[in-house]
Amino acid sequence: MKLNHVFKSVTSTLDSISQGEENFEYRDIYNYLLIVASTFGCNFSRALDLLNNSEPALQDSALHKQLKADVLYCLHDEDAALEMYVEVAGIKPNDAYLFLQMARILIGREKYETKRKFVNARKLLNHSLALAPEEYHAKKLLEELQHFESCGYVHEASQTAATDFPLFLYPKTLFIFLTTRCNIRCRICARDNHSGIDLDFPNIYKLEKAIRYAEIIDLTGWGECFIYSKIKDVLHYIYSIKSDRCMQITTNGTLLSAEFGGLLAGRIHRLTISLNAATAETYNRDMKYSNFSSTIDNIKAFIENVDELDRKNITLHFVAHTGNFREISEFVSLAKELGIPTISIGNFLSASIQDSEMTLLHVKNEYNEIITISEKIAVEAGINFSARKFGYETIKPVQDCKDPFDSCFILPDGEVGGPCCFSGTYSLGNVYESCFEDVWFSEKYERLRRTRHLEACRHCVPFTPFDDVECHFSGEIKKTDEFSNYKQLVKHSP
């Protein structure tokens, strides 16, 4: 039976070689064919010797590691196989087969007939099914688990053991909302109430494991994170756990300073400054209670106090609408002046039918012309420039979105409101009232991973063509009858 399990990995290896997915030399292909021949001859010891004596560069490839894990599994060295599968899952986190194999090993360990074993196995199988909903073997194993539990074969483990989940199943990007308060009032913001709430600082300690295992920690929320009084304490706590460039922040830039530059120096994975204007007149009109000149000075002071790699990771962002899009070309020049190497152009998402006149749907051709001109200016200035255009996009399957697997958004009160900023108001649980694992590994979250049943997921902005009306409205308004009527009106208008 185990020979059947390894067949899928071997076939995948040969397909990848033939398609040139890995940079193999002919000698490496020959070695692989020897391994495959040994494997199908059931000489797994010979196959393992060949794998262990392959070229060092080949041994670093995910395909090599996966095949080695399969061979170890066939040799009944399940501890070594599990360790290798875990390593490969860190490289290929979206491969359902890997999680199925890990679950098989856990279920096959007679010495671990405990709740911990079955909890972890079920999580792995659910994850495999979320990646590949029709995976037959994962479905059958889940049925077996249910049978074991119904027959009383599962013994209780310690209370903490049941939450000891594999680290690679934790989110890659952890969004910790520090506050929903903001110090300015933007024309593009749909919020009526800016008073907001703050994170109760001691709650951040409840996220220790999630912070430790995440690759990126994002402090952006529905507010301005630098207004949070304990942001320095938050940063110091994160730094006590992580030592790499893991910090990601989106800010309006008004509170940036030399001090914050020093505090974030050497830590910036991505810092996005949402400026949304290139002139003082437009900025002061659209970003109330702030001042263009002061904000620019604060940005400059911040940039002067971070290192060179930090500067390469800074982006200047522009949310385009009918009242400001003609400044995009000037925005490129502003980025060059500030020494910011990257520009991103987003589109205004209307939260009401009343504000729909601000959407770019009304200026498609002129907007496209401005973007084309701006792209040329950016190339000449050495600026990385990204913007969507009308008439160039097709529908992308929403199942391609990996945010439900990779990202977790935690509001200041602990509510997990969905996997991304486009998902609208939706509660998957509260990590401060229970614990992070109870929410992230919950059946509610697994259902979202499998089905993408949220209205916002079915019409997700990044996966919807730019010409589609759905791409220019926020998640909440899309739930209403008013929006449905508006779509019909637009559809039948000349």
Side-chain angles (χ1 to χ4, degrees), residues 43-208:
N43 188 351
F44 298 116
S45 297
R46 170 62 175 156
L48 185 61
D49 287 340
L50 289 167
L51 284 163
N52 288 333
N53 290 288
S54 299
E55 294 290 332
L58 186 63
Q59 293 193 35
D60 290 335
S61 72
L63 288 171
H64 184 282
K65 294 177 187 292
Q66 182 171 330
L67 187 54
K68 184 174 180 179
D70 283 325
V71 170
L72 288 166
Y73 177 68
C74 292
L75 287 168
H76 303 286
D77 190 350
E78 294 182 338
D79 287 342
L82 181 61
E83 184 177 344
M84 187 63 68
Y85 282 128
V86 168
E87 184 177 349
V88 180
I91 304 170
K92 300 167 63 180
N94 299 320
D95 191 330
Y97 170 75
L98 298 172
F99 296 96
L100 174 60
Q101 286 296 89
M102 286 185 275
R104 279 193 174 114
I105 291 173
L106 286 181
I107 292 170
R109 288 174 162 179
E110 293 183 4
K111 61 183 178 180
Y112 290 131
E113 296 289 348
T114 63
K115 185 174 182 179
R116 174 184 181 181
K117 168 187 135 176
F118 281 87
V119 167
N120 283 342
R122 186 183 295 106
K123 296 302 178 186
L124 290 165
L125 289 171
N126 282 332
H127 201 75
S128 178
L129 284 170
L131 290 166
E134 300 305 317
E135 172 56 67
Y136 170 79
H137 294 291
K139 289 180 179 179
K140 293 299 291 183
L141 279 174
L142 273 176
E143 291 176 5
E144 289 180 24
L145 281 182
Q146 292 168 357
H147 173 70
F148 270 100
E149 290 176 308
S150 66
C151 292
Y153 293 152
V154 182
H155 307 296
E156 288 293 330
S158 68
Q159 292 297 312
T160 57
T163 59
D164 186 16
F165 300 108
L167 63 90
F168 52 81
L169 291 181
Y170 282 78
K172 291 181 175 59
T173 304
L174 186 68
F175 292 81
I176 305 172
F177 288 32
L178 301 183
T179 182
T180 57
R181 295 184 298 120
C182 193
N183 60 327
I184 64 176
R185 305 292 180 265
C186 298
R187 187 181 183 188
I188 59 173
C189 182
R191 294 170 56 192
D192 294 324
N193 179 13
H194 291 75
S195 56
I197 59 173
D198 288 349
L199 165 73
D200 184 9
F201 178 73
N203 278 331
I204 199 168
Y205 300 131
K206 299 177 181 179
L207 303 177
E208 186 271 338

Side-chain angles (χ1 to χ4, degrees), residues 18-31:
S18 65
Q19 295 169 16
E21 289 184 13
E22 301 237 10
N23 187 23
F24 293 138
E25 300 290 340
Y26 285 112
R27 179 179 57 189
D28 298 327
I29 297 174
Y30 176 72
N31 287 338

Side-chain angles (χ1 to χ4, degrees), residues 253-427:
T254 57
L255 299 177
L256 291 178
S257 63
E259 181 184 9
F260 278 126
L263 193 59
L264 286 164
R267 301 285 189 165
I268 298 175
H269 174 81
R270 174 63 55 196
L271 183 96
T272 301
I273 304 170
S274 188
L275 204 58
N276 310 317
T279 65
E281 180 183 0
T282 300
Y283 180 89
N284 294 336
R285 178 198 69 194
D286 288 358
M287 314 281 278
K288 292 181 180 179
Y289 308 124
S290 60
N291 179 273
F292 184 71
S293 297
S294 297
T295 302
I296 294 299
D297 288 342
N298 291 344
I299 293 171
K300 289 179 178 178
F302 177 87
I303 291 174
E304 288 175 0
N305 285 273
V306 297
D307 65 30
E308 185 176 352
L309 186 53
D310 289 327
R311 295 188 191 102
K312 291 179 180 178
N313 295 337
I314 298 177
T315 296
L316 204 60
H317 187 62
F318 189 106
V319 178
H321 55 78
T322 53
N324 70 351
F325 77 97
R326 295 178 183 87
E327 292 188 6
I328 292 176
S329 299
E330 295 176 72
F331 198 68
V332 177
S333 301
L334 177 61
K336 183 178 181 181
E337 176 191 331
L338 292 171
I340 295 176
T342 303
I343 287 176
S344 60
I345 307 297
N347 59 300
F348 168 68
L349 300 180
S350 180
S352 69
I353 302 303
Q354 291 73 23
D355 288 336
S356 63
E357 293 300 317
M358 289 175 60
T359 68
L360 297 174
L361 291 166
H362 301 281
V363 290
K364 291 182 180 181
N365 292 334
E366 188 179 359
Y367 166 80
N368 271 10
E369 291 173 3
I370 293 291
I371 294 300
T372 299
I373 293 169
S374 301
E375 287 171 336
K376 294 177 180 177
I377 296 173
V379 170
E380 295 172 358
I383 301 288
N384 300 313
F385 183 93
S386 64
R388 301 178 73 174
K389 283 184 176 181
F390 291 98
Y392 288 84
E393 299 179 350
T394 57
I395 296 175
K396 294 182 287 185
V398 71
Q399 288 297 139
D400 287 351
C401 173
K402 299 306 177 187
D403 280 349
F405 297 96
D406 295 342
S407 302
C408 184
F409 278 62
I410 303 172
L411 301 178
D413 60 0
E415 285 292 320
V416 175
C420 74
C421 61
F422 298 104
S423 57
T425 56
Y426 176 75
S427 177

